[in-house]
Amino acid sequence: KGEGKIPGWWGALFYMVLGFLKEILFTIYPQKNVSFTSDRVGLTRSAMFLFVFIIIHAVGNLHVFLGPDDFNGYGYFYVRLYWTGFGFQANIVEEYILLAALLHVVVAIKRTWDISVNYALNSGKMNLAISGVTLLTFMMIHLYQFRFGATEPWTLCPPPYLLNLKTLLQLRLNLFWVDDPGCEAVYVRDIYKMEFEVFQSLGWCLFYLAAVIIFSTHMCLGWQKVVPAPALEIPKKYHSKATHMGYIFTIFIAMVYVSFVFYCHLFTMSSGSMSSEPATP
């Protein structure tokens, strides 16, 4: 609270990250953030948690550049955590993300109904709601394609203890698979091939590009509202700089997601340590 004592952009970054982390922690520890009122706290906290997931998801998808073993091993890493999912075919992280998304949607609908529904479309008051509904539609299509889509089996050797940390000592980055002699091979979902097959279509590339643009717009519009929120406790003199840093982070994450799409469209699939991918049509 107060005016803040760290000057310039560093001060804005410090107070922004501090407020962000505090709100993320409040999504984990019990809080009274589920309330059918016009309070934005539940909306803000769920949005921040979802943005953290989007960052983690982007970093995880970077494994597509490392080949099928890395990318398919990354997907199998989450499958190996299904024991945390209370009997569902999902892990606890996926279930928590689903709850955060449901909270975000429900509170957003409530706030839109209470505050913005009577405004004309050209007022701009409905921009977040319209982009949000569009993103919700995209996410259902995305989950249908990739999370629940049919795949072929891929053979790899997963690390015995979830992560292959010894690869870091070898200056390599195969965290999710090993190639040790006599390693135990398993069949996993070939999401690497599925991603290449989907993005062979220029239409799907353009669809995902449009979704990234809509996400960036939704994120920037929401960030404008989040920065001055009392819950973050960002001193007022940093609001402008914190807002612009949020825009920069959003654009960077958007470019990461776009890179997957056009990489799969423009380049051919690589082979793995135990299997080879056929040429894409």
Side-chain angles (χ1 to χ4, degrees):
K1 296 182 180 179
E3 292 301 317
K5 297 181 180 180
I6 304 175
W9 289 94
W10 287 111
L13 179 63
F14 174 79
Y15 287 107
M16 181 182 71
V17 172
L18 185 65
F20 199 97
L21 291 177
K22 183 190 70 173
E23 292 300 298
I24 291 297
L25 288 175
F26 284 165
T27 69
I28 300 172
Y29 294 102
Q31 299 290 320
K32 295 180 180 180
N33 62 341
V34 180
S35 178
F36 288 98
T37 69
S38 295
D39 194 316
R40 73 168 65 176
V41 175
L43 186 67
T44 300
R45 289 176 181 168
S46 59
M48 290 183 176
F49 184 83
L50 290 172
F51 188 61
V52 170
F53 160 71
I54 287 169
I55 294 173
I56 295 172
H57 189 52
V59 172
N61 277 331
L62 287 173
H63 286 86
V64 75
F65 295 108
L66 299 177
D69 288 330
D70 286 272
F71 198 55
N72 294 332
Y74 165 69
Y76 186 60
F77 169 79
Y78 290 104
V79 173
R80 297 177 77 183
L81 296 175
Y82 277 5
W83 62 271
T84 65
F86 304 102
F88 295 99
Q89 289 295 302
N91 59 62
I92 193 170
V93 176
E94 293 173 316
E95 293 169 356
Y96 198 77
I97 291 166
L98 176 61
L99 291 175
L102 290 175
L103 173 63
H104 193 72
V105 170
V106 170
V107 178
I109 292 173
K110 173 64 176 174
R111 284 181 56 81
T112 301
W113 182 264
D114 290 344
I115 300 173
S116 306
V117 72
N118 293 322
Y119 285 91
L121 288 178
N122 58 10
S123 68
K125 296 290 186 178
M126 296 291 289
N127 288 346
L128 271 171
I130 294 171
S131 58
V133 170
T134 306
L135 285 176
L136 183 61
T137 304
F138 161 75
M139 283 307 303
M140 290 189 289
I141 296 172
H142 180 67
L143 288 172
Y144 176 78
Q145 279 187 312
F146 290 101
R147 179 62 175 82
F148 302 109
T151 60
E152 296 180 9
W154 177 262
T155 306
L156 61 76
C157 289
Y161 303 105
L162 293 179
L163 292 175
N164 179 23
L165 296 180
K166 69 178 183 181
T167 188
L168 301 177
L169 301 176
Q170 302 167 348
L171 301 181
R172 298 169 62 189
L173 202 59
N174 52 308
L175 291 172
F176 302 106
W177 62 280
V178 296
D179 55 0
D180 301 331
C183 63
E184 183 177 351
V186 298
Y187 290 111
V188 302
R189 297 180 72 227
D190 194 354
I191 56 176
Y192 178 83
K193 180 180 179 181
M194 177 172 60
E195 185 154 322
F196 270 84
E197 288 178 339
V198 168
F199 293 129
Q200 288 303 298
S201 165
L202 180 60
W204 280 118
C205 290
L206 296 176
F207 173 78
Y208 273 79
L209 176 61
V212 170
I213 292 172
I214 294 170
F215 157 75
S216 302
T217 303
H218 188 78
M219 177 62 196
C220 289
L221 291 172
W223 190 247
Q224 287 178 349
K225 296 178 178 293
V226 165
V227 168
L232 260 68
E233 298 181 341
I234 299 176
K236 187 174 181 180
K237 69 178 183 180
Y238 299 117
H239 285 181
S240 178
K241 289 182 174 64
T243 300
H244 284 86
M245 279 193 285
Y247 295 162
I248 293 170
F249 293 154
T250 300
I251 292 171
F252 177 76
I253 293 299
M255 295 301 295
V256 172
Y257 276 101
V258 169
S259 69
F260 310 144
V261 174
F262 289 101
Y263 173 75
C264 293
H265 184 74
L266 297 174
F267 293 88
T268 58
M269 292 186 289
S270 304
S271 297
S273 61
M274 304 183 70
S275 304
S276 299
E277 294 283 17
T280 51

